Amino acid sequence: MVNTTTAAGLIGVVLLARHGDRTAYYQDPATYNSTQAYITPLGEQQEFELGSFLRNIYLNPDSPSFIQNISTDVADINQLAVRADAGGGNVILNSAYALLQGLYPSTQESEITLANGTTVLSPLGGYQYVPVQSLEYWQSPSLTSWMDCEYFQSHLNRTYASSAWLNMSTTAAPFLTALKPYLGGVSNNFTNMWNIYDHVNVQYTYNKTYYETLPPTFLQQARYYADWVQHSVFTDSTSASIGQVAIRTLLPEIFWALGNMTKTSNKVKMNIQEVDYKPFISLFNVTNATLTDPDISGIANYASVVALELSQDSQGQYEVSMKFKNGTEDSQFRQLTMFGNTSITFDKFVQELFSDTINSTNNWCFSCNQTVLRGCSVFNYSNDPFLGGVGTGY
Ligand SMILES: *[C@@H]1O[C@H](CO)[C@@H](O)[C@H](O)[C@H]1NC(C)=O
Ligand SMILES: *[C@@H]1O[C@H](CO)[C@@H](O)[C@H](O)[C@H]1NC(C)=O
Ligand SMILES: *[C@@H]1O[C@H](CO)[C@@H](O)[C@H](O)[C@H]1NC(C)=O
Ligand SMILES: *[C@@H]1O[C@H](CO)[C@@H](O)[C@H](O)[C@H]1NC(C)=O
Ligand SMILES: *[C@@H]1O[C@H](CO)[C@@H](O)[C@H](O)[C@H]1NC(C)=O
Ligand SMILES: *[C@@H]1O[C@H](CO)[C@@H](O)[C@H](O)[C@H]1NC(C)=O
Ligand SMILES: *[C@@H]1O[C@H](CO)[C@@H](O)[C@H](O)[C@H]1NC(C)=O
Ligand SMILES: *[C@@H]1O[C@H](CO)[C@@H](O)[C@H](O)[C@H]1NC(C)=O
Ligand SMILES: *[C@@H]1O[C@H](CO)[C@@H](O)[C@H](O)[C@H]1NC(C)=O
Ligand SMILES: *[C@@H]1O[C@H](CO)[C@@H](O)[C@H](O)[C@H]1NC(C)=O
Ligand SMILES: *[C@@H]1O[C@H](CO)[C@@H](O)[C@H](O)[C@H]1NC(C)=O
Ligand SMILES: *[C@@H]1O[C@H](CO)[C@@H](O)[C@H](O)[C@H]1NC(C)=O
């Protein structure tokens, strides 16, 4: 194992950040299609805090993880690539803005001088407007790859019929019966566990009567089953299977971003992907991170972050190291392993995960057996080797 954090600092980092606290978010258990949700002031604070944390790790010259040559106070937009899912009520996109406000807070230093000599400071005491690429649902399946994916729906059906599922459903049954009075109109069917937990969590956070009457441990028990259910839904028997689709469509961006950072012509030093909880679960599974840290197999808390840090060892080899912070309740990063190591070469990282990737809309359509929606109707399926379910991990 090689210590990646050399005195010289990092070359760059790719961050996957989860959005902050939001209003209720319903997901159909048969499809995982969802309704929209809106960020809350609590969620904005969580993201701002995450941004401040990242600032202290990556933009602080005294930090061992300082990124070489990055602009510390005035954001250099050429050094940042930020992308966020713009679906639903913009909870994820707005989370990215709140994170950036903490990362590069308002500063008088961002003042500019016009040709006529007048100086101008941005509003709000020098607010820094960092561009964010907002990805709409219809533009690309990259950040919402499980939706309208037929094979993913087949995977859900298989998961719900598995013996592990039926056993856990039986274990959970007494709890779900006891929880029924606290669910309003929400079904207490085990397949609905995401919505059950979300209802309990949102009510417990915002409804005083609920907060005062929900029996102790009910929130934790609901979370326990929701963690288990989401792990089952967003992992699969092999890394290249459809249950991992949430990370499989994000891996190409990670490879390209890290690969670009190894080139001398590159300017981008921090690539931020603002996402929901699903890619975290799949990522920790396909990298075998959960073998060393089994407790990270559940849902990542709001404003969680995964860092893929790029550095160079003393021989000049590029190394990747993965760290995680489970929302605001963790004050520090935790070092994770990938394939048993705290650091692996960039080449090995790509080599181990390359065969799992879905790197284009065309590839996604085939991998999902989707021939109509989400831009799939333009492709020719006459010689489609995937329609029969062969070679897709179906
Ligand atoms: C940082 O800047 C120095 C001096 O310009 C240069 O030699 C070095 O390669 C740069 N490092 C990175 C990672 O950009
Ligand atoms: C799934 O959600 C998307 C985005 O909200 C919507 O465009 C699509 O029609 C939905 N699909 C189904 C089958 O409801
Ligand atoms: C300089 O230009 C700015 C922007 O057009 C304008 O608001 C300001 O009044 C100008 N100042 C002078 C001294 O002309
Ligand atoms: C999944 O199961 C449901 C209910 O049995 C069925 O309506 C649906 O067509 C199945 N979906 C797929 C993709 O097999
Ligand atoms: C729970 O939901 C599943 C799938 O949505 C369905 O097959 C099952 O019949 C439901 N169980 C009950 C008790 O309603
Ligand atoms: C708050 O919780 C109480 C107790 O469960 C419930 O009766 C009430 O409908 C909830 N209020 C809202 C606005 O959801
Ligand atoms: C990598 O660099 C190429 C060339 O500059 C650029 O087109 C591409 O968008 C970059 N990709 C990422 C993910 O940074
Ligand atoms: C990945 O997920 C699959 C399916 O849930 C599970 O069988 C496997 O043990 C997981 N692998 C790791 C490394 O956690
Ligand atoms: C994050 O912490 C919560 C408890 O606050 C736990 O239920 C969940 O499994 C953890 N998630 C990960 C990915 O570690
Ligand atoms: C990941 O863990 C599985 C056991 O869960 C093992 O079979 C596989 O070889 C590991 N992969 C790598 C690349 O270490
Ligand atoms: C995209 O994936 C295909 C395999 O499905 C591969 O042949 C191709 O090289 C990949 N393209 C990039 C840019 O990674
Ligand atoms: C894939 O979709 C086509 C129609 O779009 C259907 O005929 C075929 O049965 C599907 N394949 C599988 C394995 O579900």
Side-chain angles (χ1 to χ4, degrees), residues 160-187:
Y160 298 162
S162 68
S163 56
W165 184 276
L166 297 172
N167 288 341
M168 193 52 112
S169 161
T170 305
T171 307
F175 169 65
L176 291 177
T177 302
L179 189 63
K180 182 82 184 152
Y182 303 94
L183 291 179
V186 175
S187 156

Side-chain angles (χ1 to χ4, degrees), residues 150 153-154 157:
E150 192 198 317
Q153 291 167 22
S154 307
N157 282 358

Side-chain angles (χ1 to χ4, degrees), residues 27-41:
Q27 303 193 87
D28 181 343
T31 60
Y32 272 74
N33 229 25
S34 50
T35 56
Q36 52 190 6
Y38 302 93
I39 196 166
T40 62

Side-chain angles (χ1 to χ4, degrees), residues 57 75 156 218 265 276 343:
I57 299 283
L156 290 172
F218 274 30
S265 59
D276 80 350
S343 160

Side-chain angles (χ1 to χ4, degrees), residues 232-381:
S232 304
V233 166
F234 289 100
T235 60
D236 213 323
S237 53
T238 77
S239 295
S241 298
I242 201 68
Q244 320 272 20
V245 70
I247 195 64
R248 291 175 63 201
T249 52
L250 199 44
L251 283 172
E253 177 77 13
I254 296 171
F255 294 166
W256 294 331
L258 291 172
N260 277 3
M261 287 172 193
T262 66
K263 295 179 187 143
T264 46
S265 59
N266 171 69
K267 292 199 173 71
V268 177
K269 295 177 180 300
M270 195 181 264
N271 177 302
I272 303 174
Q273 303 289 312
E274 192 85 35
V275 292
D276 80 350
Y277 66 93
K278 299 165 182 101
F280 288 77
I281 295 178
S282 310
L283 175 65
F284 295 159
N285 186 268
V286 300
T287 54
N288 274 358
T290 39
L291 289 184
T292 314
D293 296 279
D295 62 317
I296 59 166
S297 58
I299 303 163
N301 286 333
Y302 293 138
S304 283
V305 66
V306 168
L308 292 157
E309 298 181 346
L310 186 75
S311 60
Q312 252 175 320
D313 69 12
S314 48
Q315 280 83 48
Q317 282 250 51
Y318 288 102
E319 302 264 341
V320 183
S321 175
M322 183 160 75
K323 293 177 178 168
F324 173 59
K325 186 168 103 73
N326 193 7
T328 43
E329 71 187 44
D330 281 356
S331 62
Q332 292 304 324
F333 263 135
R334 166 176 180 182
Q335 176 73 57
L336 300 182
T337 61
M338 290 190 284
F339 312 110
N341 298 295
T342 53
S343 160
I344 58 176
T345 65
F346 174 61
D347 290 343
K348 178 162 166 77
F349 176 75
V350 174
Q351 182 199 321
E352 287 293 347
L353 297 167
F354 188 77
S355 58
D356 306 340
T357 60
I358 297 175
N359 64 15
S360 63
T361 297
N362 185 352
N363 210 329
W364 180 86
C365 302
F366 281 67
S367 302
C368 286
N369 200 30
Q370 175 56 266
T371 56
V372 181
L373 303 173
R374 308 200 73 178
C376 294
S377 59
V378 300
F379 302 113
N380 177 3
Y381 297 91

